Each structure stands twice: as C-alpha cells, then as structure tokens.
Amino acid sequence: MGKRIIACTSTGCLDYYPHKYDIRSVRIKLEIDGKLYADGTEMPADKFYELLKNDPTLIPKTTQTPVGELMDFFEGLYEEGYDEVFVCTISGKMSGTINGIDTCAELLKDKMRIVSYDTKTVCFNEGIFALKAAQMTEEGATIEQIIEELDYMRDHNLIMFAVEHLDFLIKNGRLSNASGFFANLLNIKPLLEVQNDGQIVATQKIRSIQRALDAVVERGVEYTKGHKYFAYYVYTTDERLPYLKSKSEEAGLNVSLQNPCSPIVGCHVGNGALGLGIFLERD
C-alpha cells in the first residue's frame, strides 16, 4: 500500500485531451428519455451533440452518481493497491458530487484516505487541476503542497461561454422561466462566467451571438492583460469556432488548443455554447 492516485469528475473533459497520467474519472450520469448514461463512456461528446442536433426538442437532464457506485469506484482503487485518492471535482455550487465523495471518504476512512478538492469551476478548467495534481504527485509532492498550488490556480482562472440557446438553461433550472422567456423573445445571448465562488452568472446580455463572441474575446484580453497565461477554446459545437479564432488572433489573444464540453455540461448550456478557458501563470 502507500500509493496515491488522482481522480477527476468526468466534467473535467479529460476523455478528450491526450495526456500521460493515470487519472481516473468519476462518471456523472445524464438522463435521456428515461435512460441513464455515464458521461464520457456510455455517452461521449460527439454522440451527445449529434443527438441534440438531430432532435431540437431533446432536453437531457443530469443526475448525481449514487453513493453505492462511488463506493465501488473507490474500493476498486483500493483493491489495485491505492490507499490515498485525491479527487478534483466540479464546483460544489453546480453539482452535489463532492458530497457523495466526502460520504465515501468517511465510510472508508479506516482503510484509505480520500481527499476531495472543489475546483469551483467546470469543463477542462476542472481537468487542468487534476493534470497539475497528477504532475505534482509524480514529482513526489505531498497532498498539502498540491492543495497549496491548486489554491493559487483556483484564484487565477476564468471560464466563460457565449450561449446561443437558452432552453437548456431554463429547463435544467439554471435560469428562471420568466427571464428565459423574455431573453428568447428579445434574442438575447447571455455571456456566462464562472465566478470565484463556483457559481455561473450571466455577466452580460447581448443581442447577437456574434457580438457575444466579441465580448468573450474582449473579456479574455482584459483578464490576461499584463500576465503570462494559458488559454483554450471550449465549445459544445464548433460551427462558430473559426469566427472566435479570427477575433482572438486580431486581438492578440494567444489560445493554445480547443476542447469540447462534456455531455454533462452540454445538458445545461445546449449545443450552441462557445467560449474560453484561461489560467494565469505565477508572476
């Protein structure tokens, strides 16, 4: 025993980013027409967004992974020889998954240590925390050293989306029906941003998706000014990605890669969301 492994909730999008680390995924569930699917494995991103494209009336839902299934996950790791698991999770303000993980930590505390870390974010931003934790584990860092580094990252990252369709936000409880009705009526495209406390808020309400993407770039330029940074494109569908790329290049914003949203995130923002994830580096 005495082995540590890093885990991440499947919303971290590591299924779609090649890396060298053995990071295990806690699979959150999505519900489509009464049937449950594990995010990323039973329902990968390409299949999910094709379903949304082919059926505009489809509004999938999300559900927490049962504690019994989480227990099986951790006990399976224990059987592999791991007695310390560090789990980077989606924001606790967006999902109760971290509560289930903490329940397992208490139930299994006599034989293994399970440490949950609330990244207070979502999508590949969440996954980047797990990648950093895995790198530091490989380098021999302690849990306390990892948490110290992740705390800095948590205070210096941003993720934002321009959202074309509001139906998903409304029907999955992320926007009131009244607000959604008038926003749709006025053709408003909200700019969504994850705040430092882990909540998603609409920071701007814009009347066209093109102008909303312009606002994404403007916010990215403002956030990175005077800093070294890592940035990437995040999307549910990439039809408007060429426009965002051209505007980013015009503004001098250096964006390294692109990564899709996981189906769990897509359940809430729909198939017309596109934006940026950014991490500021230490000075």
Side-chain angles (χ1 to χ4, degrees):
M1 290 297 181
K3 293 171 62 182
R4 180 195 309 154
I5 193 166
I6 306 301
C8 181
T9 52
S10 54
T11 48
C13 302
L14 294 181
D15 293 314
Y16 315 108
Y17 178 74
H19 59 87
K20 66 177 183 178
Y21 302 108
D22 182 13
I23 300 175
R24 306 297 175 88
S25 290
V26 176
R27 300 285 168 186
I28 303 177
K29 305 287 187 179
L30 59 155
E31 181 182 338
I32 300 175
D33 294 331
K35 185 176 180 180
L36 294 179
Y37 299 87
D39 179 30
T41 50
E42 296 173 336
M43 184 58 68
D46 55 354
K47 179 180 177 181
F48 177 73
Y49 294 116
E50 189 66 23
L51 285 175
L52 296 188
K53 181 180 179 180
N54 292 335
D55 184 359
T57 66
L58 182 65
I59 304 290
K61 298 183 179 299
T62 60
T63 183
Q64 284 182 224
T65 304
V67 170
E69 192 169 316
L70 289 173
M71 287 287 287
D72 290 342
F73 173 81
F74 290 116
E75 288 181 322
L77 292 177
Y78 181 79
E79 292 300 319
E80 289 185 42
Y82 297 104
D83 62 359
E84 189 171 72
V85 188
F86 187 85
V87 190
C88 295
T89 78
I90 181 176
S91 170
K93 294 288 180 68
M94 301 181 203
S95 169
T97 301
I98 192 170
N99 299 325
I101 292 168
D102 289 343
T103 296
C104 293
E106 179 64 24
L107 293 172
L108 296 170
K109 66 181 180 181
D110 291 337
K111 64 179 181 181
M112 65 189 306
R113 183 187 183 195
I114 301 170
V115 179
S116 65
Y117 185 85
D118 187 346
T119 68
K120 296 188 178 180
T121 189
V122 71
C123 277
F124 190 45
N125 271 33
E126 174 197 341
I128 290 171
F129 281 87
L131 290 168
K132 186 63 176 181
Q135 176 196 336
M136 293 184 70
T137 292
E138 192 175 84
E139 294 169 351
T142 64
I143 289 288
E144 290 69 29
Q145 289 170 328
I146 291 172
I147 290 174
E148 181 181 358
E149 179 64 22
L150 297 194
D151 282 350
Y152 179 88
M153 292 170 59
R154 192 165 62 183
D155 292 338
H156 296 84
N157 83 92
L158 173 71
I159 188 167
M160 53 187 166
F161 304 87
V163 180
E164 190 160 7
H165 310 296
L166 297 176
D167 306 72
F168 297 85
L169 289 162
I170 298 165
K171 293 185 179 180
N172 279 300
R174 295 298 187 271
L175 189 68
S176 75
N177 283 318
S179 297
F181 172 78
F182 288 111
N184 277 330
L185 189 66
L186 297 171
N187 198 31
I188 287 173
K189 313 299 182 185
L191 186 65
L192 303 180
E193 186 174 311
V194 178
Q195 303 292 281
N196 286 341
D197 65 355
Q199 295 190 86
I200 295 180
V201 301
T203 57
Q204 297 184 48
K205 295 179 180 179
I206 301 165
R207 289 186 178 255
S208 77
I209 189 63
Q210 185 168 301
R211 180 66 190 94
L213 293 175
D214 292 345
V216 165
V217 174
E218 291 164 8
R219 177 71 174 110
V221 170
E222 173 195 6
Y223 188 73
T224 58
K225 187 176 182 179
H227 298 280
K228 293 181 179 180
Y229 61 91
F230 163 76
Y232 70 96
Y233 298 111
V234 58
Y235 61 92
T236 57
T237 52
D238 58 4
E239 294 172 0
R240 298 183 186 274
L241 192 53
Y243 178 82
L244 184 59
K245 284 183 175 181
S246 68
K247 298 302 290 187
S248 299
E249 290 167 3
E250 287 175 16
L253 195 61
N254 183 24
V255 185
S256 304
L257 56 90
Q258 59 194 55
N259 214 45
C261 293
S262 69
I264 289 294
V265 178
C267 283
H268 297 288
V269 298
N271 60 340
L274 180 61
L276 287 172
I278 299 172
F279 280 83
L280 302 182
E281 297 178 8
R282 288 184 184 271
D283 295 330

